[in-house]
Amino acid sequence: MVLGVGGGIAAYKVCELLRRLTESGHRVRVVPTASALRFVGEPTWAALSGQPVETGVWDQVHEVPHVRIGQSADLVVVAPATADLMAKAAAGIADDLLTNTLLTARCPVVFAPAMHTEMWEHPATQDNVATLRSRGAIVLDPAVGRLTGVDTGRGRLPEPAELFEAARLVLRRGATEPDLSGRRVVISAGGTREAIDPVRFIGNHSSGRQGYALARTAAARGADVTLVAANVSLPDPAGVRLVRVSSAVELAEAMETEREAADIVVMTSAVADFRPVTSAASKIKKSGAAPAPIELVENPDILAGLVTTREREGDDQTIVGFAAETDDVIANGRAKLARKGCDLLVVNQVGGGRAFGTEDNQATVLAADGAVVDIPTGPKEDLADRVWDLVVERLPERSS
Ligand code: CTP
């Protein structure tokens, strides 16, 4: 693996990424730019990687490093990817060891940009990102948060643990093309909460793990991912735009907004079917008498609503639902697929310790075109990748 380090302050976070990569058994060759070494010195990279560290093309020339390092890599990760470095990569400039390596590498390349918001949003940078993506590179959108100095905004390097996950998921796909590149994906995850009063709610056990696994795997396949998260307390996946909601009504509004630009919409969230008619303004107290009943009203069916909007707008979106069933899994699933009108319904059996909050999942995918696909028990990211395979098979041809 090659870890290219650009000249940004976030280089210090990349030491942690390097540590995680080497500890999980990867042989990592660090190739910093000259400016990266102004932030973190050569001895740090050499000690953490256990490999020699060079920046220019004039060291160890007899080994032809400017060609060999790229040729022999299984994965190149560039973090932080500065605006300057991505501009050079997009233009094919090769003026140091890292930019030479980028031209010779034939393996997957992941860029993790980090810079000030203005630099990220500049049309020059956005054009370079689009160019790199169109050539098959995975460019992770930077995270939102504290930047250098007093600024906050989009431009932060994602957390090292999440960069490690992104690298791992790209690597495990091997040399395959990122088949969701250029596709905009919106995924809902987690479980809604319907307020009874300021401290109590009606909720469910959904952890959001399956939705987050779908978001991470989609990003690793090159998609532009928006994750609408309802009450999820998992780390923010690298390269994914997060929208946070709480109630079903908020989720419905967010999904109707986000669906507009989406090629694929996936509803993994557990939506409360009912909400209290009113939410008390202050905490409900015991009065000594029998408690007042909580009157409920039905929530909108968000998935069915998204299908209706698609038909009305004449879009060719692919829409995927998830169904949790405790019994008569397939029969209930078929009826639900017909009722909701989505393209795929991923049906899993819940209860008895299955699905909620666990690392593993199993499912049967029912397709509107009649296909039935069993996905055996395995990690949620394996299930996610199988779902993406089924989605990719059904995507309409690109117009361009
Ligand atoms: N869903 C939704 N809006 C709702 C309820 C569910 O969008 N108000 C979505 C879920 O996100 C999921 C799919 O519909 O993708 C199936 O959810 P599930 O809870 O299994 O189905 P329900 O419609 O609630 O049906 P039932 O309660 O009869 O099982």
Side-chain angles (χ1 to χ4, degrees):
M1 193 182 285
V2 172
L3 181 58
V5 187
I9 182 69
Y12 81 90
K13 285 191 185 174
V14 176
C15 300
E16 164 85 19
L17 171 63
L18 172 58
R19 182 107 212 175
R20 284 175 185 266
L21 291 170
T22 53
E23 277 179 0
S24 61
H26 298 292
R27 201 155 64 84
V28 187
R29 178 78 186 241
V30 183
V31 184
T33 64
S35 6
L37 294 182
R38 296 181 68 122
F39 291 102
V40 178
E42 182 268 341
T44 305
W45 302 117
L48 288 176
S49 67
Q51 299 278 329
V53 172
E54 283 121 29
T55 293
V57 291
W58 304 114
D59 305 310
Q60 309 292 323
V61 175
H62 63 287
E63 291 180 355
V64 203
H66 75 289
V67 175
R68 193 183 37 77
I69 293 175
Q71 278 176 340
S72 58
D74 295 312
L75 177 71
V76 177
V77 177
V78 182
T82 58
D84 177 66
L85 193 47
M86 289 193 293
K88 284 181 179 163
I93 292 171
D95 61 355
D96 64 4
L97 190 55
L98 178 53
T99 45
N100 273 273
T101 299
L102 288 169
L103 283 186
T104 52
R106 293 294 174 269
C107 59
V109 179
V110 178
F111 289 89
M115 63 197 73
H116 266 73
T117 312
E118 293 84 349
M119 295 176 82
W120 170 250
E121 288 176 348
H122 195 284
T125 305
Q126 288 301 308
D127 283 355
N128 291 329
V129 167
T131 300
L132 293 169
R133 284 179 175 156
S134 73
R135 293 183 190 143
I138 307 282
V139 185
L140 300 169
D141 273 0
V144 176
R146 178 82 196 270
L147 304 173
T148 322
V150 295
D151 296 350
T152 54
R154 186 165 298 282
R156 249 176 94 84
L157 191 75
E159 292 311 309
E162 287 302 316
L163 285 177
F164 172 79
E165 283 301 302
R168 185 179 65 77
L169 288 170
V170 173
L171 192 62
R172 81 180 203 136
R173 287 186 53 72
T176 48
E177 286 290 305
D179 53 4
L180 288 173
S181 186
R183 306 286 187 174
R184 280 164 301 195
V185 174
V186 178
I187 301 161
S188 75
T192 64
R193 292 180 178 177
E194 312 302 322
I196 296 169
D197 69 14
V199 294
R200 304 180 182 94
F201 57 83
I202 299 171
N204 59 67
H205 289 298
S206 178
S207 65
R209 280 181 210 278
Q210 187 61 65
Y212 273 51
L214 279 151
R216 287 195 178 92
T217 48
R221 293 168 82 137
D224 173 340
V225 186
T226 299
L227 184 56
V228 182
N231 311 297
V232 180
S233 53
L234 296 171
D236 299 351
V240 166
R241 197 168 73 87
L242 257 186
V243 176
R244 293 200 181 275
V245 297
S246 185
S247 67
V249 169
E250 285 170 20
L251 177 60
E253 283 169 5
M255 291 307 289
E256 280 296 334
T257 305
E258 299 298 336
R259 69 154 294 285
E260 278 176 32
D263 300 304
I264 306 160
V265 182
V266 184
M267 285 288 298
T268 72
S269 49
V271 186
D273 289 327
F274 304 97
R275 66 177 182 277
V277 173
T278 54
S279 165
S282 26
K283 188 179 173 196
I284 299 169
K285 298 283 189 190
K286 291 189 287 288
S287 64
I294 298 170
E295 200 187 329
L296 300 174
V297 59
E298 195 164 340
N299 272 325
D301 187 323
I302 304 168
L303 180 57
L306 292 167
V307 172
T308 308
T309 311
R310 172 182 70 178
E311 312 302 312
R312 194 182 59 232
E313 304 285 321
D315 295 338
D316 57 6
Q317 247 164 18
T318 303
I319 302 184
V320 182
F322 270 66
E325 300 292 345
T326 51
D327 32 41
D328 279 343
V329 176
I330 301 299
N332 282 331
R334 278 188 201 287
K336 202 169 274 183
L337 177 68
R339 203 164 67 236
K340 307 259 179 181
C342 52
D343 302 293
L344 293 173
L345 190 70
V346 184
V347 191
N348 45 43
Q349 188 155 17
V350 292
R354 280 181 293 255
F356 283 130
T358 59
E359 294 297 337
D360 284 359
N361 205 355
Q362 58 51 246
T364 302
V365 185
L366 306 175
D369 56 26
V372 179
V373 179
D374 277 317
I375 304 179
T377 304
K380 288 185 174 176
E381 66 194 29
D382 287 2
L383 188 139
D385 262 326
R386 282 298 289 129
V387 171
W388 291 128
D389 292 343
L390 297 170
V391 168
V392 167
E393 283 168 20
R394 288 165 175 78
L395 284 176
E397 288 293 316
R398 285 167 208 258
S399 42
S400 57

